[in-house]
Amino acid sequence: MRYLKHPLGAAVAIMVGSYLLIDFGIVYIPPLLGMDSAPVPNSVVLQYLATVFAGVLILASWNDERWAEFKRPFQETMVLPERRTLRSILMVALPLLIGLFVFLQVRPTVAAPSTLRSIHPAPPSQIDFRGRTMVLAGLNNPLRADGSISEDYEEGKRVYYQNCLPCHGDALAGDGHYARGFNPAPLSFDDVGTIAQLTESFVFWRVAKGGPGLPVEGTPWHSAMPVWEDFLTEDEIWSVIVFMYEQAGHSPRTWEEDEEGGEH
């Protein structure tokens, strides 16, 4: 306890206690009031600790005598011959600790980027599909007009289970066995916020061009979906779109609805 009576010891105790309270303890306070607690971001922890540190310095410099006592261990470590070994250790250890802290802050992680991304970016008016220009505006699924939708469904089912199942899952819920390896996760077609809100030409564009075909507003993280026009024919893509809507129990958005609702 005698160390806590020294201004420097008290300052260290306050900083350590404040860090434990802010980073680990504050999450338990809202449940005591019947509310759920959100995670405390690291940036908020640093801001609060900076505020506490400013308060510690004010407390330590309350008067000249206390401030001199607070600085005395630092001054003795810097000038006394008998503390040469400690001084040398600190001169090596402090830069290494600062370097480690900077590395931990800037190293790539799997955490979601802070920049917002558009889930349904505006599609281009036309695309190049295997060397042929395809106008998307007003384009409907041509397979729905050929009178063989049941055959198209079965063909789409084959395409889906051979190519899409590993990521989008058996029930189209975005929970395939590879899904946990991706961020952003594969879409759930059962969700009313995905294909139910889109025209089939939009879905064709996204399937054909995959993640690399996303416009700037769909970044910074691209979808991992491949460029399926490199592997599937036009009819195979249209047929798997038929299967997706039929299996998910959704109807594709019509161009009349799209004009009334504006952009996606």
Side-chain angles (χ1 to χ4, degrees), residues 118-125 136 202 205-206 213-218 263-264:
S118 176
I119 302 299
H120 298 315
S125 60
L136 297 180
F202 184 103
W205 165 59
R206 295 301 311 119
L214 277 170
V216 174
E217 58 266 32
E263 295 184 350
H264 298 290

Side-chain angles (χ1 to χ4, degrees), residues 9-220:
V12 172
I14 291 173
M15 292 303 300
V16 172
S18 299
Y19 170 74
L20 294 176
L21 174 63
I22 296 169
D23 203 21
F24 300 103
I26 202 170
V27 71
Y28 296 104
I29 296 178
L32 297 177
L33 304 175
M35 297 183 291
D36 294 331
S37 176
V40 181
N42 289 336
S43 58
V44 174
V45 174
L46 288 176
Q47 290 176 12
Y48 283 176
L49 287 179
T51 302
V52 173
F53 184 66
V56 166
L57 291 180
I58 293 174
L59 179 64
S61 58
W62 183 259
N63 55 54
D64 292 341
E65 181 181 357
R66 186 176 180 84
W67 182 236
E69 187 65 14
F70 178 83
K71 294 187 298 180
R72 186 174 56 79
F74 298 106
Q75 294 172 336
E76 292 179 351
T77 301
M78 295 301 294
V79 300
L80 293 181
E82 60 268 27
R83 294 193 179 181
R84 177 176 300 173
T85 301
L86 176 60
R87 188 160 54 243
S88 299
I89 293 173
L90 290 175
M91 290 180 67
V92 174
L94 287 178
L96 289 177
L97 288 175
I98 294 173
L100 176 62
F101 175 77
V102 173
F103 169 75
L104 294 176
Q105 293 299 312
V106 302
R107 67 174 177 171
T109 69
V110 296
S114 56
T115 307
L116 297 178
R117 63 186 290 270
S118 176
I119 302 299
H120 298 315
S125 60
Q126 63 182 37
I127 61 173
D128 178 82
F129 183 82
R130 295 190 169 189
R132 179 171 61 85
T133 299
M134 178 180 289
V135 178
L136 297 180
L139 179 64
N140 294 311
N141 190 335
L143 299 185
R144 296 190 183 278
D146 66 5
S148 57
I149 199 68
S150 59
E151 296 177 8
D152 299 326
Y153 173 86
E154 292 300 324
E155 173 64 1
K157 181 179 180 181
R158 178 192 66 79
V159 173
Y160 182 88
Y161 278 90
Q162 287 184 350
N163 302 280
C164 313
L165 172 70
C167 297
H168 290 283
D170 188 30
L172 287 74
D175 57 354
H177 47 276
Y178 290 163
R180 293 183 181 274
F182 299 118
N183 191 340
L187 293 180
S188 167
F189 302 132
D190 284 338
D191 191 331
V192 295
T194 57
I195 60 174
Q197 300 294 323
L198 305 173
T199 63
E200 288 182 287
S201 65
F202 184 103
V203 180
F204 185 95
W205 165 59
R206 295 301 311 119
V207 174
K209 299 301 180 182
L214 277 170
V216 174
E217 58 266 32
T219 58

